[in-house]
Amino acid sequence: MRSDVVKKGVTRIAHRSLFHAMGYRDEDLKKPLIGVCNAFNEIIPGHIHLRDIAEAVKLGVAAAGGTPIEFPAIGVCDGIAMGHRGMSFSLSSRELICDSIEAVATAHAFDGLVLIPNCDKIVPGMLMAAGRLNIPTVVVSGGPMLAGRHNGKNISVSTMFEAAGKVGSGQMSQDELHEMELQACPGCGSCAGLFTANTMNCLTEVLGMGLPGNGTVPAAYTGMRRMLAKTAGEVVMDLVRKDIKPRDIMTPDAFENAIAVDMAIGGSTNTALHLPAIAHEAGVDLSLDTFDQISRKAAYICKMSPGGSYHMQDLNEAGGISAVMKEVAKLGLIHTDAMTVTGTIGDRIKNAKVRNRDVIHSVDNAYMHKGGIAVLKGNLAPLGSVIKESAVDKDLLVYEGTAKCYDSEEDAIEAILGGEIKEGHVVVIRYEGPKGGPGMREMLNPTAVITGMGLKVALLTDGRFSGASRGACVGHISPEAMEGGPIALVHDGDKIKVDIPNRKLELEVSDEELAKRKVAWKQPEPKVKTGYLSRYARLVTSANTGAVMK
């Protein structure tokens, strides 16, 4: 056992004494030591109940002959961090989570891990740690939140962000806003739509690192979530005995499966950051071009909120991710022999059934015969950019307008609320990339306000968008402005064309003029010069490579 290095032999007497101080018996130390990384905290709704999940995991580990040892991980609530400097710590916290798990698991020589995340950056951070450490690991999440209800309709946190725009434009009263505020998020779990957290928890199943139901069984279904957690504890013990490790599971085929399902369900654009970063830690090269290649062959078959009206409990009742995979397999895009923590993908989907064709369409009756996410390139994004095509109105799929440029999210919000933005404009928010932000802040506030106000405009940024964003919103523009990318050279009044069907993002300015502007451009002073974000900005790579730190 790997843990023998901290518990076996005469030179480890002191080590064993420290274990005994915590109540571990000789019998406990003879068993595999399983680290149970619990991201519980009292600031993220998706994590408020994770103590219960961890207790169930530990019961499963103990029942299967292991010694469970719990330790914590940090987390940032993207919704609460949204719209202020706190959002700089969202994406950047992913690396802290990965590093801290590596530190604890290596320092204490765990034989295996069960990782318990639920929300946005915690899920990919833990999967990155699994790939880096490469010891037997299972991931089990806390489950999605149920949708709220208002006037007979399902609502979620994205409804509330958009409601701010409706109040600003006089479409909603303050009293109705407060009533919705109390109804939108009815309990624990990751926010109810197919936003980043739920997308990543679903893709954890597809990657093979989580159990069926990991992404869709609601947090409020406490009995089912506990059973899932207990099973995860038992499964990790089986992996330890067989020495099956994350890199055996997270192969190139597994990542291609994940992208195909991501395209089918219209997942968050943040997957184009997280999957490459996870792949990087697992020793797999995954480029943005792979997303585009699979997108062109995929089918968009689940119209989930914010692109549609269905929420996670609907997808769960319709057959969940296993049913989606079985449908996508008809296109030849699923490697059914890919390994999971419990057999192969083929084993999982063999008996899967689509129980509601309104929620999970057939590939023949797809909403689009291509993926829900598109990768755009052009002279404004030479290294690529990303848009959630499935959440764009048809009349905005091809859009040409004049640029209105802002060097921060705050300046853009002020302009939007101040009435500066009109139809025919292209809102450009720059210096919000991995280095410039720093931390590549999500732009949910400006997109939600634009949607709530009913404005039909495009929004471009070297930052990123929340999974809750919808509309003609192009993010991850690479190279970013802080590196002197073309987005830094855009002037107010420049013509910009967004052509999603043809995967083009073009600044209609001559190469000669852009070259002159490049010579005149000067890199601005960093927004943050001390602390973690300063180090992060110096080490982080471009969005098109997953914004990993090197």
Side-chain angles (χ1 to χ4, degrees):
M1 289 189 287
R2 292 176 179 84
S3 59
D4 284 349
V5 72
V6 297
K7 65 186 186 182
K8 204 166 186 180
V10 69
T11 62
R12 296 299 183 256
I13 292 173
H15 300 61
R16 293 195 294 276
S17 294
L18 294 170
F19 277 104
H20 296 324
M22 295 178 281
Y24 295 104
R25 305 166 302 166
D26 289 337
E27 292 80 359
D28 300 322
L29 298 182
K30 291 175 183 175
K31 301 173 184 177
L33 303 185
I34 306 299
V36 178
C37 185
N38 182 7
F40 162 81
N41 61 45
E42 295 181 342
I43 194 61
I44 306 177
H47 289 221
I48 193 71
H49 63 302
L50 293 188
R51 281 176 173 160
D52 194 38
I53 301 298
E55 287 304 312
V57 166
K58 289 190 284 186
L59 285 172
V61 170
T67 296
I69 301 175
E70 186 177 345
F71 67 98
I74 66 162
V76 169
C77 178
D78 278 31
I80 295 173
M82 195 72 67
H84 61 94
R85 297 309 302 177
M87 180 47 69
S88 290
F89 287 92
S90 170
L91 180 62
S92 62
S93 71
R94 186 186 71 180
E95 270 55 37
L96 289 173
I97 292 161
C98 176
D99 290 350
S100 63
I101 293 171
E102 177 194 18
V104 175
T106 306
H108 303 102
F110 291 138
D111 296 296
L113 290 170
V114 178
L115 305 176
I116 308 174
N118 212 27
C119 290
D120 294 70
K121 308 310 161 298
I122 299 92
V123 181
M126 288 190 171
L127 284 166
M128 288 165 66
R132 183 186 297 178
L133 287 163
N134 203 34
I135 61 175
T137 301
V138 179
V139 178
V140 58
S141 77
M145 187 185 292
L146 294 173
R149 297 284 290 174
H150 177 72
N151 290 341
K153 294 182 179 179
N154 286 341
I155 61 173
S156 68
V157 69
S158 65
T159 316
M160 299 313 301
F161 278 102
E162 293 177 8
K166 291 184 178 180
V167 171
S169 59
Q171 300 174 57
M172 182 182 290
S173 69
Q174 288 284 355
D175 287 345
E176 185 178 3
L177 179 70
H178 182 65
E179 186 179 326
M180 288 178 66
E181 178 185 326
L182 298 176
Q183 297 169 341
C185 299
C188 65
S190 46
C191 297
L194 192 65
F195 313 141
T196 304
N198 290 328
T199 303
M200 289 307 304
N201 279 322
C202 288
L203 296 190
T204 298
E205 287 187 47
V206 187
L207 281 172
M209 292 298 293
L211 300 170
N214 181 73
T216 59
V217 174
Y221 295 3
T222 54
M224 293 180 71
R225 292 305 317 185
R226 286 175 185 150
M227 286 191 284
L228 202 65
K230 286 179 186 175
T231 302
E234 292 177 347
V235 167
V236 77
M237 291 303 299
D238 187 52
L239 297 178
V240 168
R241 292 186 188 101
K242 295 175 180 176
D243 199 28
I244 296 173
K245 300 181 286 293
R247 292 192 181 194
D248 299 324
I249 295 169
M250 292 195 289
T251 63
D253 284 356
F255 284 101
E256 289 182 5
N257 286 347
I259 294 172
V261 170
D262 191 21
M263 296 300 171
I265 61 179
S268 166
T269 53
N270 282 315
T271 56
L273 288 172
H274 299 323
L275 288 177
I278 297 162
H280 172 73
E281 296 295 350
V284 174
D285 183 25
L286 185 63
S287 72
L288 206 53
D289 289 338
T290 306
F291 283 78
D292 188 51
Q293 291 160 10
I294 294 175
S295 179
R296 292 174 186 272
K297 296 182 286 186
Y300 172 46
I301 60 174
C302 296
K303 205 170 181 65
M304 306 291 295
S305 173
S309 59
Y310 295 112
H311 291 80
M312 297 309 294
Q313 69 257 39
D314 301 312
L315 181 56
N316 186 63
E317 291 166 14
I321 293 301
S322 293
V324 172
M325 282 195 282
K326 189 166 188 174
E327 192 63 36
V328 175
K330 295 176 182 178
L331 296 173
L333 293 178
I334 298 295
H335 301 280
T336 56
D337 57 349
M339 186 184 294
T340 78
V341 292
T342 54
T344 66
I345 290 291
D347 296 331
R348 285 198 178 179
I349 68 175
K350 182 170 54 179
N351 297 317
K353 292 180 181 177
V354 177
R355 295 186 171 87
N356 187 335
R357 280 295 180 189
D358 291 333
V359 179
I360 304 174
H361 281 207
S362 68
V363 292
D364 296 327
N365 186 35
Y367 293 104
M368 298 190 305
H369 292 286
K370 54 185 173 181
I373 293 174
V375 176
L376 311 185
K377 288 188 176 182
N379 68 344
L380 190 49
L383 299 180
S385 62
V386 180
I387 187 166
K388 190 172 184 176
E389 183 176 358
S390 58
V392 181
D393 291 339
K394 289 184 178 179
D395 57 347
L396 290 174
L397 290 173
V398 178
Y399 181 90
E400 190 166 4
T402 56
K404 292 283 286 183
C405 302
Y406 303 95
D407 290 350
S408 71
E409 179 192 7
E410 289 81 2
D411 289 348
I413 283 282
E414 186 178 343
I416 295 164
L417 292 175
E420 287 184 25
I421 305 303
K422 311 292 184 186
E423 292 193 12
H425 283 154
V426 177
V427 181
V428 178
I429 306 177
R430 58 196 176 190
Y431 296 104
E432 289 289 5
K435 290 181 180 294
M440 206 179 180
R441 294 193 292 172
E442 286 185 345
M443 301 289 128
L444 178 56
N445 268 344
T447 61
V449 171
I450 284 170
T451 300
M453 293 175 73
L455 289 170
K456 289 190 176 296
V457 299
L459 191 152
L460 316 181
T461 183
D462 54 2
R464 61 195 177 91
F465 296 111
S466 165
S469 294
R470 59 191 177 111
C473 306
V474 183
H476 305 198
I477 291 177
S478 302
E480 65 174 289
M482 198 65 175
E483 293 186 323
I487 191 173
L489 311 179
V490 182
H491 289 179
D492 282 350
D494 285 347
K495 291 285 186 183
I496 295 175
K497 186 173 183 179
V498 181
D499 184 347
I500 301 170
N502 290 306
R503 306 295 201 253
K504 292 288 186 181
L505 182 61
E506 296 287 346
L507 174 63
E508 296 181 353
V509 172
S510 69
D511 292 343
E512 293 77 16
E513 174 61 20
L514 282 177
K516 289 179 185 176
R517 293 182 187 182
K518 179 71 173 178
V519 170
W521 176 79
K522 289 183 173 59
Q523 187 182 59
E525 286 288 309
K527 293 175 184 174
V528 179
K529 297 181 180 179
T530 60
Y532 172 63
L533 286 179
S534 175
R535 298 195 301 276
Y536 179 85
R538 290 195 298 272
L539 297 173
V540 71
T541 65
S542 174
N544 68 295
T545 62
V548 298
M549 288 175 69
K550 291 186 178 178

